[in-house]
Amino acid sequence: MSVGRVFVAVTMPDEARHAVAHHLSEVDSPVPGRPVPPENWHITLRFIGKTESVPYEKMLGLLDQADLGSPFRLRLGSLGAFPGPKRASVLWVGTETGSAELCDLAAFIEEIVDDAGFMPEERPFHPHLTLARIRPHLDVTAYVESVPPVPASWDVSDIVVYRSHWGRGPARYEELERFELT
Ligand code: 2AM
């Protein structure tokens, strides 16, 4: 049985969403491309994609037993773009503090996901919060350079397994499970 399209992410409190939204609203030009609505902002640790229930349940069991490490402080930082600001398809905000912890967490979750039977992720992990998706690609160098580092921080004390629902308009992310960092 299919569980749907699944990913594991770090979420953020509403105050941090407001802080980022307010910061961006003070910039002279609008966010380029198709902005992700603030309620959908998150930092993906592992995108899994279409998922069957057997490896999914195994992954949940492994996450439940795992020591995910201690809570840590995350501070957002400067803007950037994939594959690069000159030809951007994804505009993001990076992390100033907590990057190493996010990388450790992503590597740990990768092991769990692989043990559960999913295909390994080949692409390197870059912690980022996607602000906009851009089609066709645009040069966002001027925009990225015009935005001062984002003054938002919060304590990461859990990770969330989401299911994404696509239709008309923005995606909807449904929280399926939450696992605490202790
Ligand atoms: P992104 O923010 O960099 O686009 C839900 O779609 C989350 O999974 C998004 O945060 C997205 O990252 C991430 N993701 C990673 N690989 C993906 C893929 N191939 N298709 C869709 N989303 C992907």
Side-chain angles (χ1 to χ4, degrees), residues 51-116:
T51 302
E52 294 298 315
S53 53
V54 171
Y56 175 74
E57 293 297 336
K58 186 161 183 202
M59 176 185 82
L60 293 188
L62 291 169
L63 283 171
D64 199 36
Q65 286 162 22
D67 176 1
L68 297 170
S70 308
F72 61 93
R73 191 81 183 157
L74 189 155
R75 173 173 288 277
L76 296 177
S78 302
L79 268 58
F82 293 143
K86 287 206 176 309
R87 202 170 161 274
S89 63
V90 173
L91 175 73
W92 46 258
V93 49
T95 49
E96 174 71 34
T97 305
S99 309
E101 288 89 342
L102 285 170
C103 289
D104 288 349
L105 206 44
F108 188 67
I109 290 166
E110 181 63 36
E111 281 181 31
I112 288 182
V113 167
D114 296 357
D115 288 349

Side-chain angles (χ1 to χ4, degrees), residues 5 7 42 44 47 82 90 123 128 130 133 164 166 173:
R5 285 162 59 98
F7 63 101
H42 62 269
T44 301
F47 176 76
F82 293 143
V90 173
R123 294 181 304 177
H128 66 278
T130 296
R133 297 200 166 79
S164 58
W166 294 86
Y173 299 140

